[in-house]
Each structure stands twice: as C-alpha cells, then as structure tokens.
Amino acid sequence: MRRIGVLTSGGDAPGMNAAIRAVVRKGIYEGCEVWGIKRGFAGLIEGDIVPLELGSVADTIHRGGTILLTARSQEFMTEEGRREAFASLHRAGIEGLIGIGGEGTFKGLLTFHRETGFPVIGVPATIDNDIGGTDYTIGFDTAVNNVVDAINKIRDTATSHERTFVVEVMGRNTGFIALTAGLAGGAESILIPEFPFDIETVCQRLMRGMRRGKRHSIIVVAEGVGSAPAIAQEIKQRTGLETKAIILGHIQRGGTPTVFDRVLASIMGARAVELLLAGERRAAVCLVGGEIKHCDLEEALRTTKKIDEAAYKLAEILAI
Amino acid sequence: MRRIGVLTSGGDAPGMNAAIRAVVRKGIYEGCEVWGIKRGFAGLIEGDIVPLELGSVADTIHRGGTILLTARSQEFMTEEGRREAFASLHRAGIEGLIGIGGEGTFKGLLTFHRETGFPVIGVPATIDNDIGGTDYTIGFDTAVNNVVDAINKIRDTATSHERTFVVEVMGRNTGFIALTAGLAGGAESILIPEFPFDIETVCQRLMRGMRRGKRHSIIVVAEGVGSAPAIAQEIKQRTGLETKAIILGHIQRGGTPTVFDRVLASIMGARAVELLLAGERRAAVCLVGGEIKHCDLEEALRTTKKIDEAAYKLAEILAI
Amino acid sequence: MRRIGVLTSGGDAPGMNAAIRAVVRKGIYEGCEVWGIKRGFAGLIEGDIVPLELGSVADTIHRGGTILLTARSQEFMTEEGRREAFASLHRAGIEGLIGIGGEGTFKGLLTFHRETGFPVIGVPATIDNDIGGTDYTIGFDTAVNNVVDAINKIRDTATSHERTFVVEVMGRNTGFIALTAGLAGGAESILIPEFPFDIETVCQRLMRGMRRGKRHSIIVVAEGVGSAPAIAQEIKQRTGLETKAIILGHIQRGGTPTVFDRVLASIMGARAVELLLAGERRAAVCLVGGEIKHCDLEEALRTTKKIDEAAYKLAEILAI
Amino acid sequence: MRRIGVLTSGGDAPGMNAAIRAVVRKGIYEGCEVWGIKRGFAGLIEGDIVPLELGSVADTIHRGGTILLTARSQEFMTEEGRREAFASLHRAGIEGLIGIGGEGTFKGLLTFHRETGFPVIGVPATIDNDIGGTDYTIGFDTAVNNVVDAINKIRDTATSHERTFVVEVMGRNTGFIALTAGLAGGAESILIPEFPFDIETVCQRLMRGMRRGKRHSIIVVAEGVGSAPAIAQEIKQRTGLETKAIILGHIQRGGTPTVFDRVLASIMGARAVELLLAGERRAAVCLVGGEIKHCDLEEALRTTKKIDEAAYKLAEILAI
C-alpha cells in the first residue's frame, strides 16, 4: 500500500488531532504517503483531499477539535454519494482509508467497504464512549474531566447558596459520561438511561442528605434520561428545595485533550496504519483490558457496550 | 471598636473568601474581634453569628464561593426584619458591620444604617461588575476568565464543524462580562444592553467573515439582551448558517479566584476594617484609577457605571 | 470485623483523599467503624488515631494531598516501633488496617503482618507508578497531566526563542512518568533508565530535526537517568544549540486529581474494605487489564513492572 | 504613513500575540499595511520581514509566546547593526516601527530612533512588570497566575508532609511577581530585593506559625534576592524544619494569556498604531491609573517603578 487516506467524521472529539498525527507520522515512517480528506465523507465525495507531510501535523497533539474538519454527510448515505466517494479515492490514488469517529463513521465505513471492497479501518473517537468492542473511545476521558471541572465550579456556588443543582451532560442514549463524571465529581445522584430510577427515591435521598447536614447536592443527568430543567422543576415541587438546572452543552466537547486521550489516540492511530499494511480490510481498532487490539467493524457495531453496574452502585454508596 | 461583624450576601462571587480572610486577619491584627454572620442578612436576623479566629480563615484564599454562606433575605426587606437584625448585633456585642456583596447588599446596608445609625461598610463583590463608584468588583475577573475558558473550548468544536455559536453570559442588565470576555475571546460580535444593535447587521458581518474565509464565528450575548437560543434561531433563519446556542450559567460564578480577584479582595477587605476603625459609618470601598478609595454608600448606589465605549469599538475592529 | 483503620504513608499522591473517602464510606456502609491514623506509621506508633464519620470526608474527593497527613517513619523500621504500633491498634480496638501508599508502605505493611499476624491491605498510590502487580497506581495520571501542562507552557517559550529544553521529571528509578508524559507532550526525545541511550544519537536527532525546520525541541528526562542541567550542558557543548534545563519538582505531585485517579481511588478504596471483610490478611489491591483484582502483598513487592517498549518506540516514530 | 512594521524582542511574554493581532488589524483598519519582522532586531538586520494580513493573526489571541519569534541581538547593539536595520526598513518601505518587549527592547528602539530619526513606538511586554511609566506590562498577570497555580499544587504536598517550601520566582532584580503571587497565594513570607529582610526574623515567624498550629509554610523568593536552595538550606539549619526548595523557571512564562493580559495587549497594540498615525516619533504606550496613555520612551526608561509598600505590609499581616 503506497497511499493512505485519513478523515474525521461525526461529532468532534478531543484527541482526534493526536490520532491524525499518529496516522501521518507512522504512515510516512512505514514508507507510505498519507493524504487528508477534509470534512469527513462530505469532502471525500467532493474530492477535497490534500497530501499531509510530517510538518502538517506539527504542534497539533495538544489541540482540541480536528484540523481535518468534520461534518455529517447526507449524500454519503446514498449509494450515489458513496460511488462518487470511491471515484475520488481512485482519482487520488488512495489505496486504504482510515476513518476516525463514532458509530455513524463506523457504519459509513462498513457500508462503503461492502459496496466497493475498499480497505477501511475505523478508529473509535467520540466523547460518548458508546462504541462496542472497545473499553474506551478517544475523547471520553477529556470530556469527563471537562464535566468534573464544571461540577467543581458549580459546587462552589451550590455550597454557598445551599442549593441543589441538576447538571445535564452528553452521552446520547448512554450514561457513560454521566456515571463516570458523577462518580468522580461526588454527585449525590446519577440518573442514566441504563438503570431505571424513581424520582421520588431521588427526592427522599436528597432530603435524607439535608437532614444529615449536607448543605448542597449535585445531581448528574445523562441527556438520554430527560432534560435538566424538567427534572429540577419536579424535584423542586416534591421537596420544596431551591433547585437549579444547568445544561453543560458543547463545553464538554472542547479543550486540550488529556494525557489518556493523547496516548490512546497516538497508539490507535499508529495501529490503524499497521492494520492497513498488514492487509486488514474492514477492522476497528479497540482497547480491550488495557491492550490495543482490533475486531471486525461489523462486530464493533453489533456489540452493545455494557455500563459498569458495580461502579453505579459504588457511586450510590460513596455519595451516601 | 472592639467587635466587628462580617457577612456575605446576594449572589456568591469568587474572591469573597479572600475578602473575609482579610477582614478577619486585619481586624485581629488591629486588636478587634471579628464575628462571622452566616447566610447574609438572613443569618443576621436569626442571630446565626460565630466568632472567627486567625485559623478560621486558613486555607480559604483559593476557594470559590463563601465560607459564610449567602442568601437573599425577604425578611430583611421589612422594617421588622431589620429591627431583629439590629437586636442580634446588639446581643452579640458587635459594633460595626462589613457587608460583602453587590447592589442588593449595599442597599440593605444603607437602609439598615439609616434606620439604626449602625456603622456599616460595603465591599463590592459581584461577578457582574455593575456597582457604581468602583472600576472593578471582586469576582468579575474570575468570571470573565471562566467565560473565556469556555469560549476556547467552544471554539475547538466551532472550528471543526464550521459552525456559528451564540454564547449567553451573565451580567444582569449590563454588558461588562460580555464585552470583556468577547474582546478577550476574539468574539466576532458582542451584543450588550448598553448599545443598540441590529440583528441584520450582525448577520451581514457574519456572512462577510465567511466570504473572507472564517470557518466559524462566536457571538457573545449578555443575558440582558435576550436569550441565546432565540438569537441563534434568528441568525439561522436569516443566514442559513448552522447556528448553535449555549447558556454558560453558573459555571461562570465558581472556581478558584484569579490573582487579580484575590489581591483586590485582600486589599478591599483590609481597607474595610480600617474605615470602620477610622470612624466611617456608611462607606463603600472602591477601586478608582488603580487606587483603593472609599465613597458614601449612597453615592455608590446612585452612580451608574459606564461601559467602555472605546473597548466596544475596538472589539469590532479586532474581530474584523 | 467491627473497626477498620486507614492511613496514608510515604510521598503524597493526588487521589489519596478519594481513596480515604471510599474506605470510610464503604466501611460505614458495611456496618463497620473507620478510624483514621495520622501521619502514616509515625502516627500509628504514637497512637494519633481519630474516628472518621461520613461527614469527615465530605468535600475531599477533589483535593490533592492527604487529609490524614503522611510521613516517613524511621521508628516503624524497627521491631520496637512496630510493637508499639501493634499496641496502638490493639488499644484503639482496630481489627484490620488499610495502608494507602507506595513501595515503602507496602513493605511496612508486609513486615508488620509477618510479625503480628495483623490483617493488612495495601492500596497502591504513588505518582511514580512503580508498583508491581498493578497496571496503574493512584496519582500517576494526575502527575503526568501536570507534567504535560508544564510542557505546554515550556513549548510556548521554546518555540518563540527557538530553543531546546531539557525537562526533568520524577519517577525514582523508573521511566513511567517520563515516557507517558513525553509521548503525550510530543517530546522530541525521552530519556529513561529502562533503555540505554547515547547522548550523541540524541544530539544527531536534534540536529536532524532542526534541519527539517523544527524550531524548538523538548527532551524529557526521568530523574533516574541524570540531572537536566548536566544533560543540557552536554547537548549545548555537542550541538552549539542554546539549551535550557528545568526541573519540574513538586508541582508534579499536587493539584486536584484527574477523573481517572478519582475513579481508580474510589474503586480501590472500596475494594480494600471488601477484602478485609472477606478475610484477606495481607493483600494488595491492583488494576489488571482494566479490572480491579488483588494479589498477595509479597507478590506485589516481588514483581517488577515492565515499561511498555512499544510505546517507547512509538514515541520515537511520532516525534520524528 | 502607509506601511508599519512590528516586532517582538527580548524574553517572550503571554499576550504578545494579542498585541501583534491588534497592531495588524487596527493598522489594516486604518488603511495601512502591516509587516512583521521575525526574531526581533536580529530579523530586522537580516531583512526577515513578511507582510501580515487579517488572517495572519487569526486564532492567535489565546496563544502564549510570539508568532513573530523573538531573540536577543548582539549585533543590534552596534552602530553597524542598527545601520543595516535601518536599510532593511527602508528597503521594505516601512515608515514606522512598533516594538513589543521589555526594557532591552525599549532601549534598542530609543537608540535606533536617536541615530536614524525613524519613528518608533514601544509596547511594554514582560512578565517581570519592571518597566517605568506603566502600572502593568503585558504578561505579568498571566505569569503571577501561573505562579499561584504552582503554589496551589505545592501547598497540597506541603500540607500533607507538614513541610516548608521555598519557591523561587522570576522578576530579574525586582519583586513584582514575588509580592503579587505571594499575597495572592497566601505565602507565609515574601522575600524581595526592594525591602531588606533578616533570615532570623523569617525563621522566627515560621516557628511562631508552627506553634500556632500551621502545618506548612510557603516562602516566596524573588530571583533577585538569592537562590531558593541556599535559603532553604539556611532555614533548615536555623529551625530544624524540613525545608524544600523549588525553582519555578520557564513555566511562569508560558501558557494561554489571562483575560487581563489579552485586553491590555489588544488596547495597547491598537493605541501604538494610533500614536504612529498621529505623528508620535518615540513614544511608549502605558497604563496609568486604569487609563491607556503614552509617554516619551526616554521617560519610560528613566523612571523606576516603585513597588507597593502597603501591599507588602498587608501580605505580612494577612499571613500572620
């Protein structure tokens, strides 16, 4: 394989640049050329493809977002779109494609491979951590650290005013961000889609804490469970406690990546190149039990990652 | 004066603890006792008052929020409430009161003094910076740094997706936070209550930037101007650009105070003690032209602080 | 078991408070009392032991250092000292001891158990990550993030002045901090005790980078390899490049723990309680392949943790 | 004036990029061209000069260091060197020069103007804050915030081990950084060149604090007073307290600039352009009592900025 293409697609995640850097430098080290495709599958269809040199990725490892830009492409969801994408790759002389992104990216890569036979490798990068087959996705650690930073700030004002705060975090229909940030942030309750909860129990827990002398409470809510303002309103009605809602939104997504995300992205990016060179045609890189491995893209998509029930119970015990 | 009382009231602001620490240690250094009143005027009415030692304020200078807690008291707005507050102070043997807070706190102190003749000193602390007579209030610098941190994070995702973001910040009916954070954050437009704006002009500015190659735009909106989601919606309709809204909310208020706020709070807190000991009866500490001074509480309340028009124009020029 | 003792010993590590909090709350949840021993083994000998309640560990999860204080005790290295420690535990009615710390702590626990038969559990906490049997120790992730923050700042000045910086980091006689921080910080070279290096090769690498247009270089050096000033001096002599040295020192050790360290500490602390209650008498908690397990304290001490050679080679490739 | 040159010189300071950005955009707004000179006076002599567009300074306001690079030039200290610099400016068609830097930069600009009559404007940027005529220089606020962040981290380990730390900070032969960071960081003692101190008194203060229950102490030392290791050694000998030294070094200099520095740099950079266009020939921009003004370069160099004695005494009182 002489020329590799790389793109980022879907929601941006901190560490994507570290992954791009690893693909470029590892690729060149192995004697390949690496070309960057702008704005994900959209740029692939348009042929917005540029050669990347060692220096193209200098001073990028610490930057949030993605230097290749990203987008969601409706056109790539059509067969016509994917045919044009294939033609672009052919014209550019690219022989293998590395796609960095989440579930949508993996689906796009797999469909594209099925139709064209083109070799594709997926690198899991999404703050939501909701990709099967891998223990962690690139961007998740940074996002939860962002959330916990925000909780620290909210706690200052919560304590001073003796208030309850309901903090809504991202995660699509999963609770990975909420559970991890809630456990690390010392949240009094964590509401996630994976486990049913009863608002009355949450309220009783709150009141019990108040009686025991707690001056404030933080409740972390995954977006998949409902909206923070509605939950805050309900709690206020049931308990009479002054309860505020805050939706963290896009600040979760940005910022310089943590060491964990930079290292994970560097190793995964390099591994993606190795897999292409070793003849893999539709693999996903993954982290399993502390080791970098790979699986079939289809398997990664079929598997549903389980949330850690023990951690959920521990969070309840520790926030007693 | 042998015994001084200190309280924090209204919205909490980073640096309040540094101000309390300075009141306590300067007071004790000058041979006084310092007593802390919990939860602002509410605690004053209830007599929730405790003696503070040198060690009571150890390891607090870097903490956000207020160790004395804060609240808004309806009762203190009644003559009856203020009579009880006066009785509490009398019972506790407190001879002078230092109130750390914003406009509401200053109003409370002034009314209280008028009715009772009790010596009061106001220390301006509010993230909104909307107190007359002082160039800066305690907490403002930390809040704008919090906003700019958030803008940095939002910019990563804005750039990667080539999107426009409308970021709503605090400030009540003023634009101090929005203007300063917008100037420092390199915002493309800043919408504040002090200057009328035309949404069509904002949109044309946006489109002009896009034509010149800008890949993203940040628009900072003061809460006094309108809600971010509504403005984002309007921009989207007029320009067709994908426009997201984010309301920063309470994360602006928390966090460890900046050096500027810690130093300002330390000097102002100590000055408040000096003023009481020098016989001032209803003064507000203020920072004017880089110097710590004081003025009559009434004057501080009567004066409306002007926003810096030159800075507003400069922000427009620099975000060209 | 009705009463559990907990102590921190040796160098402090961010996350120790999260571990103490987990021991206390999990212990109480399981129906035990938890008593805290101050200043490690020194306080054990002196009988400086206090009961801890649920509220004793409120608002501590985000704090660096250790609320139980820590020290290195010469006396505990003697049989006489350990006899007094045993007497203290007996007097306090403590039936099992959880020690949070590094290699020295584990050695102390093991010797103590051997002599007295007293049940002990070790929780691995040291920024150096140099404990066998566990993939990560509490505090390591925070320390490397601190180092990478510092590298980010140094890089600004290195770029502006087109200089080479030699940055010395902690790690005792291992290279875990240096390798991870160097990989994540994009260091041009990483010098660690586990792999021999040739200063001439380092210099040639530097010069090759300069010829390729690199405007600055960061070399990360583990303290076990030599001192940064000496290495900087040698590089300067061989290359003529202006080379500065910086020893990061104790700023690596402090600061609020990362999410990774808070979660690891919470789970490990809770597991330590479970192990005691399950009748373990001399176990070490460990993280193996993403799972919390335990092993014999002796095994943890006998095993030498291997550094990741693949990561070392990857760092070289990516810094090309 | 149709074409303006801009350079940064001497030690880099956070906010220099914000100043460059302001010069470029304000200059272009006023109808001028702005050219950037690389590596300060060295690049001026070599003619390393490039045109800057609006987009050249996009996404730079938040970056530490200087995109124009900086250096110290021996050659510019000679008449011959300055003649070549003048020839470079002439060849490039530049009619006025804005120099961003510290004392050395200002001296270079003044000498250059005296010999050639070439219009020059100085913008004060140095972390040391040691330029006369201005209350604050660009970079100082960021540097002291960096120092206080480091002190926060050191305090965690100092408290846990009940140790004394001597922290050496920058400032050349002044104590501005040490005093401000020491006051904001709650340092127990602050040693600066402007006020004589007696090591015995420092030690007695330390011991008094220990007797009163202080578990740790931070002593901030300006580099102009002596080296931290020597002072730590002396304290240890006199008091028997375990005392550690740390030299913060270049981490003080880097990092994203604070809001204060970004705003100051933006306003000063724009003002420098206005001054050139208004016909000023050798002015320095300055901040006096909260207002941006200007003075003669010679006056800025002749004036010695006084340290705030009241703040020094307050720091002693508050660290009681």
Side-chain angles (χ1 to χ4, degrees), chain A residues 237-297:
Chain A
Q237 275 172 359
R238 284 172 186 255
T239 62
L241 295 172
E242 197 183 1
T243 309
K244 300 265 176 185
I246 185 162
I247 302 169
L248 287 185
H250 282 80
I251 59 165
Q252 293 164 80
R253 205 175 264 296
T256 191
T258 58
V259 166
F260 185 94
D261 277 332
R262 295 183 193 194
V263 169
L264 184 64
S266 298
I267 297 178
M268 283 188 161
R271 179 61 59 92
V273 172
E274 288 169 2
L275 290 172
L276 266 189
L277 298 184
E280 291 292 333
R281 322 258 319 200
R282 52 176 232 185
V285 186
C286 49
L287 178 77
V288 182
E291 278 183 69
I292 299 294
K293 303 189 169 171
H294 67 277
C295 66
D296 191 281
L297 262 176

Side-chain angles (χ1 to χ4, degrees), chain B residues 247-277:
Chain B
I247 303 170
L248 289 185
H250 283 80
I251 58 164
Q252 293 165 77
R253 204 175 265 296
T256 190
T258 58
V259 167
F260 185 93
D261 277 332
R262 295 184 195 193
V263 169
L264 184 64
S266 298
I267 296 179
M268 282 187 160
R271 179 60 59 91
V273 172
E274 288 170 2
L275 290 172
L276 265 189
L277 297 185

